[in-house]
Amino acid sequence: MKSGTRPSLVRRFWPLVALCLVVTAIVALGSLGNDELQVTITEMMIRLVVVVGIYLFIGNSGILSFGHIGFMCIGAYAAAWATVDPTWKQMMLTGLPDFLQNNQYGFLPAVAGGGLLAAFVALLLGSAIMRLSGIAGSIATFAFLAIVQSVYSNWESVTAATSSIIGVPTVVGPWVAWLFAIGALVLAYVFQISRFGLMLRASRDDEVAAKSSAVGIVKVRLIAFVVSAFIVGVAGALYAHFLGILTADTFYLSLTFVTLAMLVVGGVGSLTGAVTGVIVVTVVVEVLRHMEAGVAVGATNLHLPQGSQEIGLGIIMALVMIFRPSGLARGREVPWPFTPAARRAKVPAV
Amino acid sequence: MIGLLQNLVDAANLGSLYALAALGVGLLFGILRLVNFAHGDFISIGAYALIVPSFEVTAQLFIGEWNWALMIPTVTLIVVIVALISDALVFQPLRRASAPTLMIASFAVSYVIQNGILMIYGARPKAANLWSGLDTPILLGELRVPLLQIITIGVTLALMVALTLFLKQTRYGVMMRAAAEDFRMAQYLGVNGNFVIGLAFAISGILATAVSLLYLSQTGTLAPTMGVPLALFAFVATVIGGMGSLLGAVVGGFLVGFIVIMLQAYLPEDLRPFRDAFAFTFVILILLVRPSGIVPTRAFIERV
């Protein structure tokens, strides 16, 4: 924050308000379109929740995490355990505890349960690994992802292993997902401007200086890790109730890549970057997907070969990293639009 | 007793593959601070280069059918070229980037290569028969050891000796070690940075090719993501051994091979599917207890 007078409440929350408006506008416009567009918009909102959740940790702490999709997996399965029809669970998921096996819960408790279980796992894992910085920390999160993958794709009596969980009620549409997206944005922004957020950002920028200013680095990192795992776990629960069917390999390297690509393309340093990344990458992937499906030109159907979508995304990500390393948003939030042009240059980036 | 010996031979065999892969990863990390996710995909490329591009389920060998004296250099050349191209296109422009940025960039390279393979060869795993004559078991007393395992261990040892000689005895090897010690200082003293890094990519390509040929002839299957588990275990090995230390990478590779085989052999039946989970838990434990690994190097100690 700049020195001098404290900015007014409206101005402090302006970036959040602006981002919420943009997201709302996208969903409102999308809800006018056809079914296919609705599905795209829903998925985009769910990914927004994931990416905002990941951003809350990576963006503020500066530690790269490859493990968050593991939390998404945990959240998704936990929610599915709650909402799937008990007769199916008694047949297939014999290892579930009684309260899950014999009962069926509503959507909201299931989502909350998914988020909480992910947060709890994050608390356990985080209390161990949050003192690792840099590459050691990143590799530890990667190991976590591999552990989750190994457990969930092999634990026959609880996750149905390779024969997937079916019959999760598909109750998540664009507006439900939108609601959670707004919630995630608010949570992430409030965290970011809270004292924990500021302390964590200080430790990201200069670990030694932050330590000597009495910032308990491990503690603030752990708080961010748990909150971000909660958001990502909730997103997993949403995803389960969007897909209707769950297999563990949905939550592995591909999804890790796509979500990290979104964060990097938009810029890891700001919430605006996270949102920008989700929007831009979704648009690019959709365009490529349509081109893969083919465009009719006269009598012939021109189309890109299978896999162009992924390759295109990889190339775009590499280009952004090379030519705009701090991402499209350059680590800044949406600027206050009413600053006189002459003064604008002096307003520092948060 | 004989069962234990058999397991130890299996462990040495698997450990050899992991050690070779870990050397490739460790070499680049030492010089560039790059944790190269794409190393696994270099391995996949080495395997796919052997067959005729098609979507068929049974792979038709092409280069793989040639006499080995011609086939091995050709495949190696292909993998080395891919490694050098990825350096030139992606990593060279990112020379000043931070370690996490490089890590994400290599993740992107890996993703592009995997989907490139998928685009040309299809997504389904393929069966391929490379050097099937080498399966014949050799009897050492009561121990039955497939010839292929002996070759794997032998090739690994030979490559390690060759790499050591190269690094210790030749001019370029000395340059590479200097660059790994202190990259900027080495540059001031007249080492060409890009050349040394290119050399490191080339050598890591050679090591990846060795892994792909040995691995393919043992498993007989090709899949676009076949290199991923190998690369994951290679990271594990480099972390356990000590990031940036080549000796550590080798020690770590054999240790991981040993752990995996022993877990496979002695875990109770119902826990066996979770073998990898145990192996990766072990990694996190090592990171916590000894973050700089078994053979610590100066490179990885984060300075205050």
Side-chain angles (χ1 to χ4, degrees):
Chain A
M1 282 293 148
K2 70 194 171 95
S3 58
T5 51
R6 197 179 164 84
S8 72
L9 205 62
V10 185
R11 255 182 95 161
R12 281 187 72 188
F13 283 94
W14 163 247
L16 176 64
V17 174
L19 292 174
C20 288
L21 287 175
V22 170
V23 169
T24 312
I26 290 174
V27 177
L29 283 176
S31 65
L32 303 174
N34 57 10
D35 284 355
E36 200 194 334
L37 188 64
Q38 309 262 335
V39 168
T40 308
I41 297 283
T42 312
E43 193 165 17
M44 177 177 173
M45 286 301 122
I46 296 173
R47 289 200 168 155
L48 187 76
V49 179
V50 181
V51 174
V52 165
I54 299 178
Y55 158 77
L56 194 149
F57 179 70
I58 299 185
N60 291 311
S61 75
I63 300 173
L64 185 56
S65 162
F66 289 98
H68 272 73
I69 296 304
F71 294 125
M72 193 176 171
C73 182
I74 290 173
Y77 273 91
W81 291 331
T83 56
V84 168
D85 184 8
T87 47
W88 191 85
K89 285 189 283 198
Q90 281 151 5
M91 209 162 52
M92 299 294 292
L93 307 178
T94 49
L96 280 182
D98 281 345
F99 77 98
L100 285 173
Q101 211 181 116
N102 302 320
N103 295 301
Q104 193 169 17
Y105 299 89
F107 170 64
L108 284 179
V111 171
L116 287 176
L117 185 63
F120 178 67
V121 174
L123 183 66
L124 294 184
L125 175 73
S127 12
I129 68 170
M130 278 305 115
R131 57 199 169 87
L132 300 172
S133 300
I135 293 176
S138 304
I139 298 225
T141 59
F142 208 104
F144 168 70
L145 179 66
I147 293 171
V148 172
Q149 181 63 29
S150 163
V151 169
Y152 277 74
S153 54
N154 288 303
W155 202 352
E156 194 74 51
S157 64
V158 172
T159 65
T162 42
S163 55
S164 56
I165 293 187
I166 51 168
V168 187
T170 49
V171 291
V172 176
W175 286 108
V176 176
W178 167 82
L179 198 65
F180 284 94
I182 298 291
L185 284 171
V186 171
L187 195 53
Y189 193 74
V190 169
F191 177 85
Q192 175 173 323
I193 61 173
S194 73
R195 51 191 287 264
F196 294 120
L198 287 176
M199 287 198 282
L200 191 55
R201 292 183 151 232
S203 81
R204 172 195 72 185
D205 295 338
D206 191 332
E207 201 172 321
V208 180
K211 234 182 226 167
S212 60
S213 314
V215 172
I217 294 183
V218 176
K219 195 182 100 191
V220 284
R221 267 186 198 159
L222 184 59
I223 294 173
F225 196 59
V226 171
V227 176
S228 101
F230 176 78
I231 298 178
V232 175
V234 165
L238 294 178
Y239 204 43
H241 290 85
F242 163 72
L243 294 174
I245 179 169
L246 276 186
T247 33
D249 47 336
T250 315
F251 304 97
Y252 204 31
L253 295 175
S254 255
L255 195 54
T256 303
F257 179 79
V258 172
T259 47
L260 277 181
M262 287 172 164
L263 197 52
V264 168
V265 167
V268 199
S270 66
L271 189 58
T272 307
V275 176
T276 314
V278 173
I279 297 172
V280 170
V281 169
T282 304
V283 170
V284 168
V285 167
E286 282 306 306
V287 169
L288 287 169
R289 202 169 61 83
H290 278 279
M291 284 161 79
E292 257 179 33
V295 184
V297 179
T300 51
N301 188 23
L302 292 177
H303 65 94
L304 292 174
Q306 201 84 50
S308 320
Q309 205 188 114
E310 287 82 3
I311 293 181
L313 181 56
I315 292 173
I316 285 171
M317 184 168 160
L319 288 177
V320 169
M321 296 184 86
I322 292 167
F323 293 107
R324 198 148 167 164
S326 48
L328 295 177
R330 293 213 158 127
R332 297 189 190 158
E333 300 297 355
V334 182
W336 179 247
F338 309 111
T339 312
R343 274 190 52 211
R344 195 168 289 174
K346 291 183 198 155
V347 179
V350 178
Chain B
M1 189 59 207
I2 209 73
L4 178 67
L5 277 179
Q6 199 86 52
N7 284 331
L8 284 177
V9 176
D10 285 346
N13 172 58
L14 190 65
S16 299
L17 292 176
Y18 291 159
L20 281 182
L23 268 179
V25 172
L27 199 64
L28 282 179
F29 183 82
I31 295 178
L32 208 55
R33 299 290 168 273
L34 163 66
V35 178
N36 188 15
F37 278 111
H39 194 76
D41 306 286
F42 294 166
I43 295 173
S44 313
I45 286 184
Y48 272 92
L50 298 169
I51 63 168
V52 181
S54 79
F55 279 52
E56 300 292 314
V57 180
T58 314
Q60 183 79 43
L61 288 179
F62 171 54
I63 296 178
E65 248 176 4
W66 299 357
N67 185 302
W68 63 269
L70 184 62
M71 178 263 254
I72 293 176
T74 316
V75 178
T76 310
L77 191 66
I78 293 173
V79 178
V80 167
I81 289 174
V82 173
L84 289 177
I85 289 177
S86 57
D87 177 38
L89 290 183
V90 180
F91 299 114
Q92 203 157 318
L94 289 174
R95 283 288 188 260
R96 284 162 193 279
S98 64
T101 311
L102 284 173
M103 211 156 151
I104 299 192
S106 76
F107 208 43
V109 171
S110 157
Y111 197 65
V112 169
I113 295 180
Q114 263 173 41
N115 286 288
I117 292 177
L118 200 134
M119 192 186 262
I120 301 170
Y121 297 92
R124 276 186 300 177
K126 297 166 192 283
N129 223 338
L130 180 70
W131 295 331
S132 47
L134 299 183
D135 287 351
T136 40
I138 290 182
L139 292 175
L140 300 169
E142 286 177 62
L143 207 59
R144 293 164 63 89
V145 183
L147 183 56
L148 201 52
Q149 292 200 345
I150 297 177
I151 294 180
T152 304
I153 298 168
V155 168
T156 305
L157 293 178
L159 278 173
M160 284 187 318
V161 170
L163 185 63
T164 314
L165 285 178
F166 172 78
L167 288 174
K168 299 257 153 136
Q169 302 293 331
T170 66
R171 193 179 133 75
Y172 297 125
V174 173
M175 281 184 185
M176 283 183 71
R177 283 193 298 142
E181 189 77 19
D182 186 335
F183 192 75
R184 196 178 297 171
M185 192 57 179
Q187 276 186 308
Y188 289 151
L189 295 175
V191 171
N192 180 340
N194 279 340
F195 173 77
V196 167
I197 291 171
L199 202 57
F201 268 98
I203 295 176
S204 111
I206 294 173
L207 293 167
T209 317
V211 178
S212 34
L213 295 178
L214 294 169
Y215 186 69
L216 178 62
S217 54
Q218 294 197 5
T219 61
T221 39
L222 289 158
T225 52
M226 62 185 282
V228 173
L230 282 168
L232 284 184
F233 281 114
F235 292 143
V236 172
T238 42
V239 171
I240 293 179
M243 299 287 302
S245 153
L246 295 186
L247 176 65
V250 172
V251 173
F254 279 105
L255 187 62
V256 171
F258 179 78
I259 293 171
V260 168
I261 294 287
M262 290 303 147
L263 285 174
Q264 178 77 28
Y266 298 113
L267 268 185
E269 192 83 45
D270 16 323
L271 288 180
R272 218 166 279 171
F274 304 109
R275 188 194 72 191
D276 292 2
F278 284 102
F280 285 107
T281 310
F282 191 69
V283 179
I284 295 186
L285 289 180
I286 293 257
L287 279 171
L288 291 173
V289 181
R290 213 181 154 116
S292 46
I294 298 170
V295 188
T297 50
R298 245 187 40 183
F300 195 54
I301 299 169
E302 295 190 16
R303 266 161 288 183
V304 170

